[in-house]
Amino acid sequence: MSETPEMRPPVVTPGRVIIALCLVAPFVAMLWVGSYAKTDPAFIGIPFFYWYQMLWVLISTALTMLAYKLWQRDQRARRGADGGAAK
C-alpha cells in the first residue's frame, strides 16, 4: 500500500454546483405555487398561470441541456486528469 494519497480532483466543483442549480431551479419554480397562482398578466389571452408553466417547460429543457453539456465537459476533464485510464 502506498504512503502517498492519490491525487484526485475534488468531488464538489463549481461546475457541479452549476449543474445542480440548473436541475433544481425548475423544481423550485414549480413548487412555489404562490408565485404564479394568478390570472394576470394574460399573454395573448392565456392566463398567467398557464403561460408561466409552459414557459418553464422551455426553460427546463434549456437548463437540462446546459447541465448535460457541463456534465460531459466535467467527465472529459476528469478522464484527462486520470491520464485516460478506464476505471
Side-chain angles (χ1 to χ4, degrees):
M1 186 157 117
S2 174
E3 299 264 340
T4 59
E6 290 183 34
M7 295 302 293
R8 297 187 122 185
V11 175
V12 178
T13 61
R16 288 185 175 192
V17 171
I18 293 171
I19 291 168
L21 290 174
C22 286
L23 296 175
V24 169
F27 288 105
V28 172
M30 290 293 96
L31 289 175
W32 186 21
V33 177
S35 70
Y36 63 92
K38 52 190 171 187
T39 57
D40 289 327
F43 177 68
I44 61 171
I46 302 170
F48 180 75
F49 180 81
Y50 295 110
W51 69 259
Y52 179 81
Q53 289 183 357
M54 291 300 108
L55 180 64
W56 269 102
V57 169
L58 299 174
I59 294 170
S60 298
T61 302
L63 289 174
T64 303
M65 287 175 20
L66 176 63
Y68 178 70
K69 293 298 183 183
L70 289 172
W71 180 256
Q72 283 182 324
R73 189 169 75 176
D74 180 71
Q75 293 305 302
R76 280 194 304 268
R78 284 183 169 273
R79 276 194 300 270
D82 289 342
K87 292 189 176 189

